[in-house]
Amino acid sequence: MIGTDPDLAILPLVEQVRARLTASPGDLTPHRVAEALRSAGRPVGDTTVLAVYEALRRDVLGAGALEPLLRTPGVTDVLVNGPGPVRIDRGAGPEVTEVVLTSEDAVRRLAQRLVAAGGRRLDDASPCADVRLPDGTRCHAVLAPLARPGTAISLRVPRAQGFTLDELSAAGGLTPEVERVLRAVVAARLAFLVSGGTGTGKTTLLSALLQCVPAEERIVVVEDAAELRPPHPQLVSLEARPANLEGAGAVGLRDLVRQALRMRPDRVIVGEVRDGAVVDLLAAMNTGHEGGAGTLHANSAADVPARIEALAMAAGLGRAAAHSQLASAVDVVVHLVRERRSARRRVAHLAVLQRDADGWVRTVPALDVTAGGESVKGPAWPVLERSLAVAGA
């Protein structure tokens, strides 16, 4: 277990001092803490004053008690399930830390402060929020009683520098053959979707693939929350914006995709296809913008057409039109899985989209990778090979 827990013995003092300080506005200083302790008839030794002051300071600045966890190397997620021990994920699943949030009030205050730092509000009228913090951390919070056993906070920690394909290969995420094929897909400017479940590494892989784009090409990335940060000299990132406290000023993904098309992009990338923006992305891929890409939540590569169909139909595009657009827009699906026992994230399938006899789009396996790293070529492998050869990759 990692982390530090404030001395539980001072918690009653912290709550008493907090109540007295909030009754009279002013800056949080050790001097005011000492005065509040004296007025409450409590001991005012330097050690006690500084301990109470530090506990209060952490409670009003940054991520409070979660700050050390966010700065711990290797941590990808910090998870709060109401009062009690905080959990982290370092790639092998949630693990309990020594950081303990002692009350629902403390968790609620922390959630509200984090969300406010991202420019949103969190209260009984708006009990759920998803924001990006100033340091790039993605914060999602749900207040109790919607969340049980208490207010839930989920923090996704961005990596300071994205992985390269070589690093993903070294970590076992890609076999050498898959790496060669993916590099060729990017070089050939084939349009592709990276699919997979939550936490399988879709954004990580897409960021690594974007690093393979030639420096002379202009990339315009559209995201709900900015997470793609590949070191590329011509990358422009557009981030959606939620409505302000008055309910105005929202800018959605669909608006940004349309703006991206006017920015002379060589490649249009949608960080996560999750709503009607899929219609505009497919339109972009069908109007001369080759090499487009995006990520998509899907349980399997075979589920990708159904997911695209559902999103497109919700945006007003008919089923037949959605399949027609998809068939001509996307060339390759790259599907990721996360193994249950080892928690290893890896590319499991490469597939090609083809129409069946009824005209509906289906994914046809091109290359499957077993858990042991063995590559098995599927019926669509010759199709993928031809596409790469035609493009000179």
Side-chain angles (χ1 to χ4, degrees):
M1 297 196 300
I2 70 169
T4 57
D5 183 30
D7 186 354
L8 296 180
I10 71 166
L11 289 178
L13 298 180
V14 172
E15 294 305 319
Q16 289 184 16
V17 171
R18 186 197 315 278
R20 291 181 177 273
L21 292 180
T22 54
S24 57
D27 295 335
L28 176 62
T29 64
H31 178 69
R32 291 192 69 214
V33 169
E35 288 184 337
L37 286 171
R38 288 193 191 94
S39 64
R42 294 292 187 171
V44 290
D46 290 345
T47 301
T48 301
V49 170
L50 291 177
V52 173
Y53 167 76
E54 181 61 25
L56 289 170
R57 189 190 68 83
R58 285 189 305 182
D59 199 29
V60 298
L61 297 175
L66 306 185
E67 196 72 34
L69 303 181
L70 293 173
R71 303 293 169 255
T72 301
V75 169
T76 60
D77 296 87
V78 177
L79 308 171
V80 177
N81 304 328
V86 178
R87 291 167 174 80
I88 60 170
D89 189 350
R90 288 187 277 194
E95 55 184 280
V96 177
T97 72
E98 294 176 356
V99 175
V100 177
L101 299 179
T102 57
S103 68
E104 169 60 23
D105 285 343
V107 180
R108 186 183 179 100
R109 284 195 304 270
L110 175 59
Q112 290 175 324
R113 188 174 74 251
L114 291 173
V115 169
R120 297 283 300 278
R121 74 177 189 186
L122 189 67
D123 52 30
D124 291 334
S126 180
C128 308
D130 186 45
V131 300
R132 185 170 62 89
L133 303 182
D135 66 353
T137 299
R138 186 168 180 175
C139 172
H140 181 268
V142 182
L143 292 180
L146 269 66
R148 296 181 182 275
T151 294
I153 306 172
S154 305
L155 298 171
R156 174 64 60 87
V157 184
R159 193 170 186 260
Q161 185 175 356
F163 289 95
T164 64
L165 283 183
D166 290 335
E167 290 172 331
L168 293 179
S169 296
L174 309 172
T175 64
E177 185 169 14
V178 168
E179 181 184 351
R180 286 195 298 272
V181 173
L182 291 180
R183 289 183 183 276
V185 165
V186 175
R189 296 179 60 83
L190 299 185
F192 63 92
L193 290 175
V194 180
S195 65
T198 301
T200 52
K202 300 184 295 297
T203 300
T204 299
L205 177 60
L206 180 55
S207 181
L209 291 172
L210 292 181
Q211 295 180 47
C212 301
V213 174
E216 63 271 15
E217 294 187 18
R218 179 175 170 85
I219 306 172
V220 181
V221 177
V222 178
E223 294 181 272
D224 202 26
E227 294 180 302
L228 288 168
R229 301 176 179 178
H232 189 279
Q234 292 203 66
L235 183 134
V236 178
S237 180
L238 304 179
E239 183 179 15
R241 184 178 67 192
N244 59 22
L245 297 180
E246 288 74 34
V251 181
L253 282 182
R254 295 199 66 174
D255 299 321
L256 292 180
V257 171
R258 295 190 191 104
Q259 297 305 317
L261 298 179
R262 300 185 179 100
M263 298 172 66
R264 196 248 170 240
D266 289 302
R267 299 179 190 245
V268 177
I269 311 296
V270 176
E272 184 175 336
V273 181
R274 63 170 67 183
D275 58 17
V278 67
V279 174
D280 300 282
L281 177 62
L282 294 178
M285 291 178 173
N286 279 312
T287 53
H289 295 86
E290 298 177 337
T295 67
L296 179 77
H297 275 82
N299 293 327
S300 67
D303 291 336
V304 168
R307 284 281 294 143
I308 294 291
E309 175 188 317
L311 293 172
M313 291 182 70
L317 192 66
R319 185 186 185 198
H323 279 256
S324 179
Q325 290 271 54
L326 178 60
S328 58
V330 179
D331 300 300
V332 181
V333 172
V334 183
H335 189 74
L336 291 158
V337 297
R338 181 174 181 174
E339 297 175 351
R340 290 186 178 181
R341 292 186 177 180
S342 65
R344 179 168 62 109
R345 302 170 176 89
R346 64 182 183 86
V347 174
H349 309 284
L350 297 179
V352 172
L353 295 178
Q354 295 181 340
R355 288 179 180 266
D356 62 17
D358 297 322
W360 306 121
V361 176
R362 300 285 183 265
T363 52
V364 183
L367 188 67
D368 295 330
V369 182
T370 67
E374 180 183 357
S375 297
V376 180
K377 294 177 180 177
W381 175 254
V383 177
L384 179 57
E385 266 194 323
R386 264 196 313 274
S387 297
L388 294 175
V390 168

